[in-house]
Amino acid sequence: MEGTQDNAISKAIQILSALRASGDGASARELAPTTGFARSTVQRILATLSASGMVIQDPATQRYRIGPQALVIGLGYNGGNVLVNEARPYMFTLRDESLETVGLSVAVGNARVFLEEVQSNAQIRFASEMGRLYPLWSGANGRVLMSGLTDAEIDRVLADHEHDATLHESLTPDEIRTRISEVRAHTFAMASNETIANVSSVAVGVRDGSGQTVAALSVSGPADRFTSARMDEVVPRLQDAASAISARLGARRGTK
């Protein structure tokens, strides 16, 4: 039984590697000759990988490509663990100070995903769906992550509507550009009843040694409790935590 499992894992890895090399994705029929497996075997493994989020299938073309869970695992390998390990102590402190949920988000292509979260101890609290992809432009986290992009890069993100269905409320491109400008001016972003109904968030950027924004640190809570006034109160502590994490990643102290 163990040998059979090892063989299945080996085949799954080969299929994921073939998908990664395919660029625009591939169908089971196209992956069969590439991997040397029977098409039925490829289809069965793809179905298993799809159920876990390791691959996703385009309903229109029926082609598969690397999914969010595989991307998150890749982020963990390529520095994500360092980021989380450095951020986690400050996230717990910020949770205790704000009494709300603290999250750490990163960009994945034209989307964003929560890499880590420290939940509030309150009975009613916000909890993200770890590994779920949201449009990069959405929410306070997303606009912080986009604040360092060029106009052409922003246009590219706004042209991608793949994950729009995950949102409670959408914004127009002009509204998004305006809010990104506000992030650049004030170094933080706020959102309420936008990505998720009845949830408010405030976020600031975390920078690395090159000065690039590599993550968004956020505080989120139920909108009726985490009001605009409460978010204003949290901003200084959020900025201090982000600055401390940034310094641990090599950024100069005081960089915002």
Side-chain angles (χ1 to χ4, degrees):
M1 180 66 177
E2 185 175 343
T4 301
Q5 290 177 337
D6 290 344
N7 188 42
I9 292 171
S10 177
K11 289 179 178 178
I13 292 172
Q14 291 183 62
I15 289 172
L16 286 170
S17 296
L19 275 178
R20 180 178 179 274
S22 68
D24 293 331
S27 65
R29 177 180 57 81
E30 293 167 329
L31 288 170
T34 302
T35 59
F37 306 143
R39 181 177 176 181
S40 59
T41 299
V42 174
Q43 189 65 63
R44 183 178 69 252
I45 293 175
L46 284 171
T48 300
L49 292 172
S50 179
S52 64
M54 293 293 285
V55 302
I56 55 177
Q57 186 181 30
D58 187 316
T61 65
Q62 300 300 303
R63 295 166 70 87
Y64 291 87
R65 57 187 177 83
I66 298 295
Q69 288 302 323
L71 291 169
V72 171
I73 290 171
L75 284 167
Y77 179 78
N78 290 315
N81 284 338
V82 173
L83 173 60
V84 169
N85 289 339
E86 295 294 353
R88 189 178 287 117
Y90 299 97
M91 294 175 70
F92 275 100
T93 299
L94 186 57
R95 187 274 311 274
D96 293 342
E97 292 174 342
S98 67
L99 305 179
E100 301 293 353
T101 296
V102 177
L104 189 70
S105 301
V106 294
V108 181
N110 294 336
R112 64 176 175 84
V113 65
F114 281 99
L115 197 61
E116 180 63 307
E117 182 176 84
V118 177
Q119 290 189 13
S120 167
N121 290 320
Q123 185 173 5
I124 299 176
R125 59 182 180 267
F126 165 72
S128 68
E129 188 175 339
M130 300 292 287
R132 183 175 184 178
L133 293 178
Y134 297 96
L136 184 56
W137 57 261
S138 66
N141 299 283
R143 289 189 285 277
V144 163
L145 292 170
M146 288 185 68
S147 61
L149 299 184
T150 65
D151 289 343
E153 289 170 331
I154 290 173
D155 289 342
R156 184 200 68 218
V157 172
L158 296 182
D160 187 343
H161 301 286
E162 179 179 356
H163 305 290
D164 288 10
T166 62
L167 303 178
H168 168 64
E169 181 179 310
S170 189
L171 299 175
T172 68
D174 285 344
E175 288 174 326
I176 295 165
R177 290 187 178 90
T178 297
R179 296 192 188 193
I180 292 173
S181 296
E182 292 171 352
V183 175
R184 291 169 176 165
H186 303 295
T187 74
F188 64 89
M190 292 183 180
S192 187
N193 291 298
E194 187 183 317
T195 304
I196 301 173
N198 302 316
V199 170
S200 295
S201 297
V202 57
V204 300
V206 173
R207 300 179 183 274
D208 63 10
S210 69
Q212 297 296 310
T213 299
V214 295
L217 183 68
S218 62
V219 178
S220 304
D224 60 349
R225 183 177 71 216
F226 198 45
T227 61
S228 296
R230 280 288 296 131
M231 286 192 280
D232 285 337
E233 293 174 3
V234 165
V235 166
R237 295 181 184 275
L238 181 59
Q239 290 175 324
D240 287 345
S243 293
I245 298 167
S246 298
R248 298 287 297 179
L249 297 177
R252 289 180 300 167
R253 280 284 185 179
T255 300
K256 292 184 179 180

